[in-house]
Amino acid sequence: MRVTIGRKAHFNAAHRLYNPNWTDEQNAAFYGKCNLPNYHGHNYKLEVKVKGEVDQETGYLLDLKWLSQIIKEEVEEPFDHRNLNLDTPEFRNLIPSAENIAGVIWRKIQARLPKEKNLDLMIVLYETERNFVEYSGE
Amino acid sequence: MRVTIGRKAHFNAAHRLYNPNWTDEQNAAFYGKCNLPNYHGHNYKLEVKVKGEVDQETGYLLDLKWLSQIIKEEVEEPFDHRNLNLDTPEFRNLIPSAENIAGVIWRKIQARLPKEKNLDLMIVLYETERNFVEYSGE
Amino acid sequence: MRVTIGRKAHFNAAHRLYNPNWTDEQNAAFYGKCNLPNYHGHNYKLEVKVKGEVDQETGYLLDLKWLSQIIKEEVEEPFDHRNLNLDTPEFRNLIPSAENIAGVIWRKIQARLPKEKNLDLMIVLYETERNFVEYSGE
Amino acid sequence: MRVTIGRKAHFNAAHRLYNPNWTDEQNAAFYGKCNLPNYHGHNYKLEVKVKGEVDQETGYLLDLKWLSQIIKEEVEEPFDHRNLNLDTPEFRNLIPSAENIAGVIWRKIQARLPKEKNLDLMIVLYETERNFVEYSGE
Amino acid sequence: MRVTIGRKAHFNAAHRLYNPNWTDEQNAAFYGKCNLPNYHGHNYKLEVKVKGEVDQETGYLLDLKWLSQIIKEEVEEPFDHRNLNLDTPEFRNLIPSAENIAGVIWRKIQARLPKEKNLDLMIVLYETERNFVEYSGE
Amino acid sequence: MRVTIGRKAHFNAAHRLYNPNWTDEQNAAFYGKCNLPNYHGHNYKLEVKVKGEVDQETGYLLDLKWLSQIIKEEVEEPFDHRNLNLDTPEFRNLIPSAENIAGVIWRKIQARLPKEKNLDLMIVLYETERNFVEYSGE
């Protein structure tokens, strides 16, 4: 029996969007308010979904306490109450758009999943209640 | 890197369900309260999801301001505060069930997406908090 | 021990706003999209809050099944899937604004509460997720 | 036109997790608080999603009143306000983890769907607002 | 400047309602499904609201980390994943209705608030998404 | 008939908490993660509630489009996508805690309400889904 389990988490961070290869005018024209120089912020909400086989002995796909701990170590501790542009090495050379944040989080969690269990990972990242990104490693 | 981005929107509209080829009794028996003659209404909530390749120069799959504008022109302006049966030509010969409204919205937004970008479109339409329809063009 | 208990309910209805003593131009100018002639609609959400003394024998302020039944009879059955302007006598001579709908609902439920229990009634009516009205009989 | 319709429902139940083949110490170590002996409980939320062809005569994939009735008979009536370990035969020999509850619900509803309509069933079960399971019969 | 700050928390517990002075028939007739013998459960959600003077030096009414810790010690640790009837001494002789749980929680938190700060405490307890109780010490 | 109407709004902003009269160590010890130097951010949600007399001619307490415009001018335009410490003059000498932001917003909106209508203003500001502040001018 192959199911998907999901776990929600959240972190509050500042960021701004700009491409260092562009002029200020190009950045302002393309990114609009998201390019304002002194940063703005979001309450990011994260859904981590893992698909795999249920262990008939435990009734679990995997232990959600373990998954919560992975999310805490890989996402909440390094990103919460941080400035994504200034404080987190992952975005030193990567624009912290919701798309790229989702990619970074997916790769960090994927690296912690046990390879032998044949698990599929999908994440959903809400930047606001109205905007979100889904990524599953494609 | 192929991600899905999502954007939420909403509109408030009146409608009723009936099949003009049926008798009043048949309509009342099949559609129940949704067939009452003087219309009722809903706060429809819409999720528009687009899957495609992230542009590495911008960090965006596509500009959400552009997508919001498309949703505004194709859905919010023509449908909000309207009677779907009487005011919108799409439902002159089409029963405005949630299934059909979802189909109409999908086709209107699909027609506006750039063909060359190889995008997949999926929408979710909530008629109430408890009832919803997903459509992806199948 | 004096507590407030609350119960949520909902109904889906059509309405439009206009003042029969005004010209069409005055109505359109004042009410905007809410004045469009063929009605629009909402998923109204209702919170009914009753404050009173907890009965030490039962642990209840009052039986929520009883309160749910009152809400069903006074609000859900007469208003759900109806056109408030055309189908409900309460709005024959009363503009069905959220303020007035809240007043009507408050008076209908208040009339059903037992007088001897010294209960305070307050209702909250959400017309959309962003707009709401509270009324407590003042 | 092939769409997915969804319907939400809920039930409030007690349960505890333990494997009768393990010692108490093994159970406590593995399941943690979920293993506490006197049961705890949840407001389970259920989404039932059915994918299939829209009937052009009715505008419906299927009648949501019918689907609601199936959910009521198969899930709400037998599970609501029950102790899943003690009151429901499905969990006499099956650990009532969210994964297994989702599997049981999927099979009960699947058995009621008309075979000839080529419908796909998927359910989402929220044990809390932060934990959920999706199952589609794989 | 006198403001109200609020903090949300939650716990998952089992309970049943019955009055030991009544017969089984009286209990079943009055409490209905809430009286079923093997317990059921809820994801209780709690809002703790404290009103008082803002400290101009810190910009805080009080430190939310401190308030969160109080809620954890007084509510989450003793009640989460417990059976309120069997595991918690507060309900040994008190029916664990939502009204009474709200009263118990209010008194436990009130006892921890500093007396000299002239604070007003109000709590809201959601037993389900549709049913809730507010209590402020009256 | 005296009712309360409410309108929701939101803005996304960066901030950090520190008291310029304290040492870095004092600030870090008191404010914790909220004191981190490069700012973090939130999706602030705002509820603006106004209590007053319903105008029997219009059925409105006041025009929500007008109230939305006031909120846009006084809150959304100056605060959205801004750094509250660096970009907004109101917080040059005021710690941008949720308590103080709520006070600033209340005073800005209160200054725009018509004096002759005897209106009461109350706002609720959610910094996260779990933390909020209410202020009504006391």
Side-chain angles (χ1 to χ4, degrees), chain F residues 17-110:
Chain F
L17 301 182
Y18 72 99
N19 184 328
N21 301 319
W22 294 353
T23 65
D24 286 357
E25 289 71 26
Q26 283 177 301
N27 272 294
F30 187 78
Y31 291 116
K33 286 189 301 184
C34 298
N35 179 247
L36 284 171
N38 289 325
Y39 309 100
H40 61 280
H42 297 291
N43 301 332
Y44 289 94
K45 292 188 210 173
L46 177 66
E47 276 182 35
V48 175
K49 296 163 77 165
V50 179
K51 187 170 187 174
E53 198 72 24
V54 177
D55 180 335
Q56 286 309 313
E57 191 176 9
T58 62
Y60 278 8
L61 166 52
L62 52 76
D63 185 352
L64 277 178
K65 283 194 302 293
W66 176 83
L67 183 60
S68 297
Q69 181 62 23
I70 297 298
I71 297 170
K72 192 178 177 189
E73 291 173 19
E74 297 297 332
V75 182
E76 293 178 324
E77 287 181 355
F79 291 174
D80 187 37
H81 280 69
R82 294 307 192 294
N83 182 308
L84 297 179
N85 299 74
L86 301 179
D87 294 332
T88 57
E90 289 85 353
F91 300 104
R92 196 143 299 159
N93 300 301
L94 185 67
I95 298 166
S97 63
E99 288 89 335
N100 281 338
I101 301 171
V104 163
I105 290 173
W106 188 91
R107 288 187 291 275
K108 293 187 79 172
I109 295 176
Q110 173 71 8

Side-chain angles (χ1 to χ4, degrees), chain B:
Chain B
M1 182 182 157
R2 197 164 169 86
V3 308
T4 300
I5 60 165
R7 174 76 188 172
K8 298 191 183 180
H10 51 86
F11 58 96
N12 311 321
H15 79 151
R16 69 179 288 233
L17 301 182
Y18 72 100
N19 183 328
N21 302 320
W22 294 353
T23 65
D24 286 357
E25 289 69 27
Q26 283 176 301
N27 273 294
F30 186 79
Y31 290 116
K33 285 191 300 183
C34 298
N35 179 247
L36 285 171
N38 290 324
Y39 309 98
H40 61 280
H42 297 292
N43 301 332
Y44 289 93
K45 292 189 211 173
L46 178 66
E47 278 182 34
V48 176
K49 297 164 76 165
V50 180
K51 187 171 187 175
E53 198 71 23
V54 176
D55 178 336
Q56 286 309 313
E57 190 176 11
T58 61
Y60 278 8
L61 165 53
L62 52 76
D63 185 353
L64 278 178
K65 283 195 301 294
W66 175 84
L67 183 59
S68 297
Q69 182 62 25
I70 298 297
I71 298 170
K72 193 178 177 189
E73 291 172 20
E74 297 297 332
V75 182
E76 292 178 326
E77 286 182 357
F79 292 175
D80 187 36
H81 280 71
R82 292 308 192 293
N83 182 309
L84 298 179
N85 300 72
L86 301 179
D87 294 333
T88 57
E90 289 86 354
F91 301 104
R92 198 141 300 158
N93 299 303
L94 185 67
I95 298 167
S97 63
E99 289 89 335
N100 282 337
I101 302 172
V104 164
I105 291 174
W106 188 90
R107 288 187 291 273
K108 294 188 78 172
I109 295 177
Q110 173 72 7
R112 298 291 299 273
L113 295 182
K115 300 292 167 291
E116 69 280 9
K117 282 202 169 177
N118 188 23
L119 302 171
D120 298 321
L121 175 65
M122 200 258 243
I123 70 161
V124 188
L125 180 72
Y126 284 83
E127 193 167 77
T128 71
E129 288 199 350
R130 287 153 294 281
N131 299 345
F132 57 97
V133 174
E134 300 174 354
Y135 185 56
S136 54
E138 285 182 63

Side-chain angles (χ1 to χ4, degrees), chain A residues 11 21 23 31 33 36-37 43 63 65 68 70-71 76 78 83 85 88 91 93 95 117 119 123:
Chain A
F11 59 97
N21 301 320
T23 64
Y31 291 116
K33 286 190 301 184
L36 284 171
N43 301 331
D63 185 353
K65 282 195 301 294
S68 297
I70 298 297
I71 298 171
E76 292 178 326
N83 181 309
N85 301 74
T88 56
F91 300 104
N93 299 302
I95 299 167
K117 282 204 169 174
L119 301 172
I123 70 160

